[in-house]
Amino acid sequence: EVLAGLPQDQQTFLLSTAILVRLNGELCRAVTGREDSQLLLEQFEHDNLFLTLIPSSRSWYQFHPLFRELLTQRLQRTVPASQLLDLHRRAAQWFESSGLIDEAISHALAAQEYEQAARNLLAVGITRILNGEADTILSICRALPAAWSESRPDLLALQAWAIMALAPFDQVEPYVKKLEAAVAAMPEGSPDRPARALAGQLAAIRATAAFNLSDVERSIEQAGVALELLPEDERVVRSVVMLDLADALLSQGQMEPARQRYLET
């Protein structure tokens, strides 16, 4: 009843923004193209149209969950699939440009913009894994089309790190095999930075898995390879490898080399 009592242009605005869990004027302008988006949000809030300011936020709004569910169902019934994809695409671009990576990934997946989703995921993936969000990273990886993601060695590496963070180190092997194939396909002695970084990632994963499977000698060997190949600005992965190397050296009683690696880490 509330929706039917609104002018058509306002109904269209509400339907278009139903894809958003939270919304503000700038985001709505990017998604709908309406310059008066902020005024509309303020009007809807003033008129009690199931839109409220998020507590502790000065500019973000949210729909009442039931109202958003109604809008979403109506949107899916009345809007062509291509238009729905475009709404998500616009939202993904706005969130990415605003540095809001989680929402950028979510909307990129909904828009079937897999390259954009992967780019954002890779930008934060390792850090998120070390912060205890390995399950979330794996879930996002698995939301990508398998045939597409398996052609991306960088995503395979990210999944391997996530699996290792969850402790079943022996389950990393399938990802290592695929990474090995990707590295083997690179020109021998390739000076290309991405190629060297990929080979470094592979060695880093081998080093971490080997140490946790009590193969200390292999862990030390692969850690050395990884630190030689990984770019200096790959600080997070390099730190993980140096910590593995320090632990491995300590387990062999090499106290001074281990101390140096701990300091570097």
Side-chain angles (χ1 to χ4, degrees):
E1 290 174 0
V2 167
L3 194 61
L6 295 174
Q8 186 59 50
D9 68 314
Q10 293 186 11
Q11 291 188 39
T12 300
F13 178 89
L14 289 171
L15 290 174
S16 298
T17 55
I19 65 167
L20 305 169
V21 174
R22 58 174 182 156
L23 49 163
N24 65 21
E26 290 298 317
L27 172 57
C28 290
R29 182 170 66 176
V31 170
T32 67
R34 290 196 58 153
E35 296 294 331
D36 60 346
S37 291
Q38 181 62 38
L39 292 175
L40 280 173
L41 292 175
E42 292 172 2
Q43 178 184 331
F44 292 149
E45 183 199 15
H46 179 267
D47 294 343
N48 294 318
L49 294 183
F50 306 111
L51 183 75
T52 57
L53 268 173
I54 296 176
S56 75
S57 168
R58 295 181 178 179
S59 60
W60 288 99
Y61 295 83
Q62 62 186 0
F63 289 116
H64 185 286
L66 290 177
F67 189 56
R68 181 170 179 247
E69 182 180 345
L70 165 72
L71 293 172
T72 301
Q73 291 174 354
R74 185 75 59 87
L75 178 68
Q76 292 171 344
R77 287 201 311 267
T78 58
V79 169
S82 60
Q83 186 176 336
L84 187 57
L85 291 176
D86 188 53
L87 291 172
H88 282 291
R89 188 176 299 114
R90 295 179 187 182
Q93 291 170 352
W94 188 89
F95 279 117
E96 181 177 7
S97 67
S98 300
L100 300 170
I101 301 301
D102 289 343
E103 286 147 310
I105 292 172
S106 176
H107 285 286
L109 288 172
Q112 299 177 15
E113 294 288 338
Y114 302 126
E115 186 63 44
Q116 182 183 11
R119 180 175 66 248
N120 283 279
L121 179 61
L122 289 166
V124 300
I126 291 292
T127 303
R128 294 287 180 84
I129 288 168
L130 293 177
N131 285 340
E133 299 178 55
D135 277 323
T136 300
I137 297 301
L138 278 178
S139 176
I140 296 171
C141 287
R142 289 165 180 166
L144 294 163
W148 184 86
S149 63
E150 289 190 1
S151 68
R152 293 285 303 265
D154 45 4
L155 289 174
L156 292 172
L158 186 63
Q159 290 177 79
W161 285 116
I163 288 170
M164 285 195 293
L166 297 172
F169 297 100
D170 55 346
Q171 294 181 23
V172 176
E173 191 63 24
Y175 296 95
V176 171
K177 293 294 185 186
K178 291 172 184 176
L179 274 172
E180 285 175 341
V183 172
M186 296 186 301
E188 188 172 351
S190 173
D192 181 62
R193 174 189 163 100
R196 286 179 60 85
L198 177 58
Q201 283 273 1
L202 175 58
I205 290 164
R206 284 172 171 162
T208 302
F211 180 76
N212 285 279
L213 292 170
S214 301
D215 190 346
V216 175
E217 291 292 344
R218 180 166 173 76
S219 180
I220 292 174
E221 173 207 344
Q222 290 298 308
V225 174
L227 291 173
E228 180 182 344
L229 294 175
L230 286 168
E232 288 294 331
D233 58 7
E234 235 358 304
R235 293 190 173 194
V236 177
V237 177
R238 289 182 66 88
S239 295
V240 171
V241 175
M242 284 190 287
L243 183 59
D244 289 332
L245 180 54
D247 289 344
L249 291 168
L250 183 64
S251 73
Q252 290 189 330
Q254 299 188 52
M255 304 299 288
E256 183 56 27
R259 189 181 75 86
Q260 290 298 326
R261 289 302 185 181
Y262 283 129
L263 287 172
E264 288 180 62
T265 305

